[in-house]
Amino acid sequence: MNAESDGRDRDVAAATTDPATGGATDERELGSRAPQYIQARRTLHLSWQVGVFVVGLAVVVAGIIMLPLPGPGWVVIFGGMAIWATEFVWAQLVMRWTKRKLTEAAQKALDPKVRKRNIILTTVGLVIVAVLVGIYVWKFGIVMPWKIDE
């Protein structure tokens, strides 16, 4: 993994074979996606990488802050990783791994046995919640938190 992405790793993965689909998947090449003008000048490319790293870090930190707070924390974290993946091979590999795992999970969730189990568990959970709400309303009644005088 070359953090500087100087072009030596461009031919590492142009296309790979996906056993799940049985064919070749079109994956982008590893390495920097900076314009050729920037890649041609070492100092400019290094400053470009620093800028990409700082922007990606700010986005990832914002996503981490959003995890316990209201906001799309994981989406923002993956957005920061995508920013890093425009320049750094390690982030590109992490994004590929994440995409592969999400695809596998989606395929597994579409399996008829798993879908049937999930539907049954969801139905049982909803029945339990409905019974508990019914017991609460029967015992305490419905009391609105505000008082409206007519």
Side-chain angles (χ1 to χ4, degrees), residues 93-113:
L93 294 173
V94 168
M95 292 297 286
R96 283 185 184 178
W97 179 84
T98 304
K99 184 185 274 186
R100 187 173 61 247
K101 290 298 180 183
L102 286 174
T103 304
E104 289 172 6
Q107 289 298 325
K108 186 177 179 182
L110 292 176
D111 180 30
K113 290 180 183 178

Side-chain angles (χ1 to χ4, degrees), residues 41-82:
R41 290 155 181 80
R42 179 130 176 92
T43 308
L44 188 57
H45 192 221
L46 185 61
S47 61
W48 176 272
Q49 286 180 328
V50 168
V52 167
F53 183 80
V54 168
V55 170
L57 182 65
V59 172
V60 168
V61 167
I64 290 171
I65 291 171
M66 285 184 203
L67 285 176
L69 300 175
W74 284 110
V75 174
V76 174
I77 289 172
F78 287 123
M81 287 297 296

